[in-house]
Amino acid sequence: MAKKEKTIEALLKEKRTFSPSKKFTEKAHVNSDAVYRRAKRNPEKFWEDFAKELDWFKKWRKVLSWKPPHAKWFTGGKINVSYNCLDRHLSSERKNKAAIIWESESGESVVLTYWDLYREVNRFANVLKGLGVKKGDVVTIYLPMVPELAIAMLACARIGAPHSIVFGGFSAESLSGRINDSKSKVLITSDGGYRRGGIVPLKKNADDALKRSKSVKKMVVVKRVGSEAKVRMKKGRDYWWHDLMENSHAYCEPERMDSEDMLFILYTSGTTGKPKGIVHTTGGYLVGAYATTKWVFDLKEEDTYWCTADIGWVTGHSYIIYGPLANGATSLMYEGAPDYPDIGRFWAIVEKYAVTIFYTAPTAIRAFMRWGEEHPQKYDLTSLRLLGSVGEPINPEAWIWYHTHIGGKKCPIVDTWWQTETGSILISALPGITKLKPGSATLPFPTIEADIVDEDGKTIKEGAGYLVIKSPWPSMLRTIYGDPERYVEQYWSRFPGMYFTGDGAKRDKDGYLWVLGRVDDVMNVAGHRLSTMEVESALVDHPSVVESAVVGRTDQLKGQAIVAFTTLKKDLKTSAKLVGDLRQHVAKKIGAIARPDEIIFTAELPKTRSGKIMRRLLRNIAEGSVLGDTTTLADPGVVKELKEKYEDKE
Ligand code: PRX
């Protein structure tokens, strides 16, 4: 049996259940399942009640306008996200409460109270205005995990300039592609960023990107590493963050944004070679992020909440910044890697700040598991009361390990399913009431009509199929930036009238959902989303390569690993050096996360008679499973040879 099937089999055989303790339930925001019934009776009222907990300049006229597949939420409402994350907390005791606790890779901490953050955001908002940024102008942010990243995004939100944050691990070329698509005029970066003691040359990457991105007229550079980074500032284009901030005024009026004005674009990999700019708007997104943070993480005034994601991904947008700050919470932000300077680093941080809620990815949990429980055992983790998981399916073994060795068998685990497109969590336990099953994301959040359907879009009551969402939710993407047709085609055409997630999932007899993974050409590598075609384009860009087909195969640690079947130019010899060069080439084109784990050279790729590469076969070969039907192949010999070659390697 193929490895992937074995993993899924094990997942679905899981029978253990875990109920929250009485003590947890008693104090939880949600302690009765009546919320599901209430939400079902009147979904719009459910969301409206959350919206009322936020501050609006002008109340909405209508909660939902739904012209499938286009939704508008809280129409007519006027609101500002930065106002809701900052100003509205200043008149209470939250004014001097830690909004962001920042821990640097080297162990230094910086605490920004709500007042501190408010002041910095206001000043930077004025800096942006001074650079000519106006409401509606897209600002690209390419920063490491430093406080200035939080400040910059909130400043954009304050003046109504949508931000497009590009993860600091992406290459110059990826950055330039995203800038060109969004046509942004301002780029915010830093001289460099620390990663495992080394320096990532962000400014240099930004300079390289700007050779191909002419729309950017101004660049703001945060000094993070100082003299260790050799940066060249271009006169009239590049400015130091601290110079601009020096004389910047301390108050900037928050822009009255329409509920449906754009808040941000975030690029993510789809099924084609080109990442798509997912568009999120203001009112609905904030309500979704606010409500789910409050209920799924059971967030309270006294919590110290830590989401380990990078703000360059959607998890960081919604659950480091917007959700927690809209709730007036204390959100921890860590600059560095989990294993630096040693593999106890995360637990040292939990102990240092007495973290109460901890949210991370299964890939990290599996790494901790492999490193051994003796590392977390060295630290006091008793402050923890709730754990979370996101980004990929969590295997029951990792779930149990997390529950036992990190949660001390007392913390509920919320396995949260969602996507860049969904903006906020759509499937998750509510920790005070849901009976947990290790490996299952459990149940849809109240009002969310998640369903499992067959090829024809018919509901599968019990069993596996495609995961779809059948009605709109406030934080859903509104479109793909600059490509409205692709929005309709990508998400709403496979099953008419339903949002197609691209995931496969199974429903058990209790109605619990078990997300199995992507069913399209999107890979999930260590919780990072990548398209097979992006990696293929990077490979064929190398002068030695003629053709390439990339597939994801099951990996014990990373969830999926990247396998690239590659055909070289005639007469070229394969060598270990060439493998290294090709891997490096992909890293340079996209970023280190896209570096193939394996490159298999082949004289030809298996194709159908009409010339289409048979990816299913390649996936089967990579998984080590039986070949299946090869009768439609133009030359079945190619597959046999490939399979033999692949098996030889193992
Ligand atoms: O395949 C699902 C997986 O991650 C994909 C979304 O990736 P991205 O947009 O990068 O957002 C990741 C963080 C929200 C989904 O289509 N995924 C996300 N969470 C889970 C998951 N798979 C299983 N279980 C989850 N909890």
Side-chain angles (χ1 to χ4, degrees):
M1 190 189 281
K3 265 190 239 150
K4 185 168 186 185
E5 283 166 28
K6 263 197 222 154
T7 326
I8 292 172
E9 190 92 333
L11 184 80
L12 299 175
K13 277 203 188 116
E14 181 55 49
K15 291 273 183 302
R16 286 167 284 191
T17 60
F18 296 79
S19 294
S21 68
K22 214 168 144 235
K23 198 171 131 213
F24 191 100
T25 303
E26 269 167 10
K27 290 198 191 141
H29 279 305
V30 182
N31 48 27
S32 149
D33 58 9
V35 292
Y36 288 105
R37 292 189 293 278
R38 172 161 71 79
K40 201 167 176 191
R41 271 199 304 276
N42 193 344
E44 290 182 24
K45 165 121 188 359
F46 175 85
W47 289 110
E48 184 168 42
D49 286 347
F50 277 112
K52 284 181 187 159
E53 293 180 24
L54 298 173
D55 276 16
W56 296 74
F57 300 126
K58 182 167 166 249
K59 205 185 158 194
W60 54 92
R61 282 192 312 271
K62 202 164 183 289
V63 176
L64 169 66
S65 313
W66 179 223
K67 289 202 187 90
H70 300 285
K72 287 183 180 165
W73 284 85
F74 307 107
T75 44
K78 300 277 180 204
I79 187 167
N80 182 285
V81 168
S82 110
Y83 184 91
N84 274 278
C85 290
L86 302 167
D87 309 41
R88 81 186 188 106
H89 306 308
L90 300 178
S91 54
S92 70
E93 59 274 25
R94 283 183 188 151
K95 179 180 168 198
N96 295 314
K97 172 182 175 173
I100 290 179
I101 298 178
W102 179 74
E103 162 96 359
S104 77
E105 197 179 69
S106 61
E108 166 203 1
S109 38
V110 171
V111 177
L112 289 171
T113 63
Y114 272 95
W115 177 255
D116 293 330
L117 189 59
Y118 165 81
R119 196 182 52 220
E120 296 302 298
V121 167
N122 273 276
R123 290 171 67 206
F124 195 65
N126 282 326
V127 165
L128 289 174
K129 280 190 167 174
L131 292 174
V133 180
K134 289 192 203 60
K135 182 181 169 187
D137 292 345
V138 180
V139 173
T140 300
I141 305 179
Y142 180 61
L143 280 174
M145 283 286 283
V146 290
E148 287 84 352
L149 174 51
I151 294 164
M153 65 198 286
L154 287 159
C156 286
R158 194 160 191 92
I159 64 168
H163 53 71
S164 163
I165 303 183
V166 180
F167 169 58
F170 276 126
S171 66
E173 200 169 320
S174 295
L175 172 62
S176 144
R178 285 156 172 78
I179 293 173
N180 292 345
D181 190 79
S182 66
K183 297 171 207 71
S184 65
K185 295 192 210 89
V186 172
L187 172 64
I188 303 166
T189 190
S190 69
D191 53 355
Y194 289 109
R195 192 74 186 165
R196 296 195 172 88
I199 291 170
V200 186
L202 291 172
K203 169 72 164 83
K204 186 179 171 300
N205 291 351
D207 287 341
D208 288 348
L210 293 201
K211 286 182 195 147
R212 276 164 290 190
S213 297
K214 301 294 175 200
S215 60
V216 172
K217 302 292 179 232
K218 304 280 177 204
M219 172 146 68
V220 182
V221 187
V222 173
K223 189 175 263 183
R224 171 67 192 114
V225 299
S227 57
E228 285 178 81
K230 289 188 186 65
V231 300
R232 285 218 331 264
M233 301 290 278
K234 191 170 167 187
K235 222 169 163 231
R237 186 194 71 180
D238 302 350
Y239 303 87
W240 287 108
W241 171 291
H242 54 266
D243 286 342
L244 296 175
M245 286 288 264
E246 207 170 70
N247 298 316
S248 188
H249 195 263
Y251 181 72
C252 172
E253 184 82 23
E255 194 72 37
R256 289 164 66 95
M257 302 296 284
D258 189 273
S259 215
E260 283 299 331
D261 279 339
M262 186 161 45
L263 176 65
F264 67 83
I265 306 174
L266 184 56
Y267 286 86
T268 189
S269 295
T271 48
T272 67
K274 196 171 161 262
K276 329 172 264 202
I278 302 301
V279 171
H280 283 290
T281 56
T282 304
Y285 170 82
L286 190 66
V287 171
Y290 168 78
T292 50
T293 308
K294 183 169 175 180
W295 276 21
V296 172
F297 298 108
D298 188 42
L299 198 58
K300 309 272 174 48
E301 201 64 67
E302 61 278 11
D303 276 312
T304 303
Y305 163 94
W306 183 20
C307 164
T308 70
D310 192 291
I311 292 176
W313 308 107
V314 75
T315 307
H317 282 58
S318 301
Y319 298 109
I320 297 179
I321 302 298
Y322 293 127
L325 298 184
N327 276 279
T330 297
S331 182
L332 198 131
M333 188 175 159
Y334 169 51
E335 179 183 40
D339 54 355
Y340 189 84
D342 60 56
I343 51 188
R345 185 61 190 275
F346 269 17
W347 319 125
I349 295 176
V350 169
E351 180 183 282
K352 180 173 175 186
Y353 299 103
V355 170
T356 56
I357 302 170
F358 178 73
Y359 187 33
T360 197
T363 292
I365 300 164
R366 287 190 292 264
F368 301 138
M369 217 170 128
R370 181 176 284 191
W371 294 333
E373 52 265 26
E374 59 274 25
H375 300 287
Q377 272 161 10
K378 286 184 210 145
Y379 300 91
D380 180 1
L381 305 182
T382 51
S383 56
L384 290 170
R385 67 178 193 90
L386 177 67
L387 303 175
S389 171
V390 62
E392 357 150 30
I394 179 166
N395 45 313
E397 199 192 352
W399 196 102
I400 297 288
W401 188 91
Y402 194 30
H403 187 255
T404 310
H405 299 291
I406 306 304
K409 296 191 178 160
K410 69 171 180 12
C411 304
I413 298 178
V414 286
D415 174 2
T416 62
W417 177 91
W418 60 295
Q419 309 177 299
T420 307
E421 291 87 342
T422 69
S424 62
I425 295 166
L426 294 195
I427 304 175
S428 168
L430 293 176
I433 56 172
T434 312
K435 191 202 284 177
L436 306 170
K437 298 188 187 186
S440 167
T442 74
L443 302 165
F445 192 79
T447 78
I448 303 301
E449 285 192 79
D451 200 4
I452 314 272
V453 298
D454 65 13
E455 289 288 340
D456 304 321
K458 283 209 199 70
T459 296
I460 297 175
K461 278 221 154 95
E462 200 185 321
Y466 301 100
L467 179 63
V468 297
I469 315 291
K470 288 180 152 172
S471 55
W473 62 99
S475 64
M476 68 189 260
L477 80 162
R478 298 301 194 258
T479 189
I480 292 175
Y481 192 72
D483 201 348
E485 283 116 53
R486 194 169 164 205
Y487 164 75
V488 178
E489 186 202 315
Q490 184 88 33
Y491 302 107
W492 298 92
S493 300
R494 174 76 180 77
F495 303 106
M498 304 177 205
Y499 169 84
F500 178 43
T501 61
D503 279 337
K506 184 168 167 144
R507 181 160 34 211
D508 70 15
K509 62 176 178 5
D510 300 325
Y512 275 48
L513 300 170
W514 303 73
V515 179
L516 304 173
R518 303 289 306 197
V519 293
D520 51 12
D521 290 324
V522 173
M523 298 178 286
N524 192 331
V525 182
H528 299 319
R529 199 167 141 173
L530 284 165
S531 103
T532 54
M533 256 165 269
E534 259 175 293
V535 182
E536 285 164 11
S537 320
L539 278 166
V540 295
D541 176 76
H542 191 277
S544 306
V545 175
V546 176
E547 200 173 26
S548 179
V550 167
V551 297
R553 73 147 162 75
T554 311
D555 181 87
Q556 291 299 326
L557 204 60
K558 299 199 286 186
Q560 279 193 310
I562 305 174
V563 182
F565 295 92
T566 304
T567 307
L568 293 179
K569 282 205 176 127
K570 208 161 169 273
D571 300 331
L572 279 181
K573 287 229 161 39
T574 63
S575 67
K577 180 178 176 302
L578 184 58
V579 171
D581 287 353
L582 293 180
R583 295 181 71 228
Q584 194 44 36
H585 187 71
V586 177
K588 191 165 169 276
K589 297 283 291 183
I590 304 175
I593 51 166
R595 197 181 272 142
D597 294 270
E598 275 177 75
I599 293 183
I600 315 283
F601 294 114
T602 169
E604 256 180 88
L605 290 170
K607 291 190 185 145
T608 59
R609 283 171 220 279
S610 63
K612 265 182 83 182
I613 296 173
M614 297 194 76
R615 282 165 199 285
R616 180 180 52 86
L617 278 181
L618 292 175
R619 259 194 301 266
N620 287 349
I621 292 170
E623 295 285 3
S625 63
V626 287
L627 282 182
D629 184 14
T630 58
T631 49
T632 49
L633 273 183
D635 179 4
V638 176
V639 184
K640 211 166 145 260
E641 194 189 308
L642 257 181
K643 187 166 158 57
E644 279 160 10
K645 198 177 248 177
Y646 194 76
E647 279 163 357
D648 274 357
K649 285 191 74 241
E650 285 190 320

